[in-house]
């Protein structure tokens, strides 16, 4: 992982609402978009914006089934981010 990508992930997860949405998705196997909206006091448009940012960074992926969209975390991406952070202190 390059520094720019790590910085973007840090910035994205630095937003408390976005972090909470990511955590909700990462803690389950797959999360329906409506479940994300129901858990948060954010408007559906705001939730959608946060989901797009997480998707664009490769932290989550989505699949559409009919009218529903389901989200799943990509653990390898988060692991890569953690490995980058751990390597910061190695000399």
């Amino acid at each position: 992982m390059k520094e720019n990508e790590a910085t973007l992930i840090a910035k994205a997860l630095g937003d408390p609402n976005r972090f909470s949405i990511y955590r909700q998705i990462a803690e389950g196997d797959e999360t329906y978009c409506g479940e994300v909206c129901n858990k948060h006091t954010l408007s559906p448009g705001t939730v959608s914006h946060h989901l797009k940012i997480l998707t664009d960074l490769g932290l989550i992926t989505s699949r559409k089934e009919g009218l529903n969209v389901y989200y799943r975390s990509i653990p390898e991406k988060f692991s890569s981010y953690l490995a980058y952070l751990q390597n910061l202190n190695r000399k």
Side-chain angles (χ1 to χ4, degrees), residues 30-33 55 61-72:
E30 192 171 62
T31 305
Y32 163 62
C33 185
T55 300
T61 187
S62 65
R63 72 174 179 87
K64 190 167 183 172
E65 187 175 300
L67 297 176
N68 300 319
V69 180
Y70 295 86
Y71 292 91
R72 174 183 298 253

Side-chain angles (χ1 to χ4, degrees), residues 32-52:
Y32 163 62
C33 185
E35 292 172 327
V36 177
C37 288
N38 289 339
K39 184 169 180 175
H40 302 277
T41 59
L42 306 169
S43 72
T46 300
V47 170
S48 178
H49 173 72
H50 288 312
L51 291 169
K52 179 179 179 353

Side-chain angles (χ1 to χ4, degrees), residues 7-20 54 59 81:
T7 301
L8 292 172
I9 291 172
K11 181 178 177 184
L13 295 178
D15 180 284
N17 290 314
R18 198 171 300 129
F19 182 85
S20 180
L54 294 170
L59 291 168
Y81 173 64

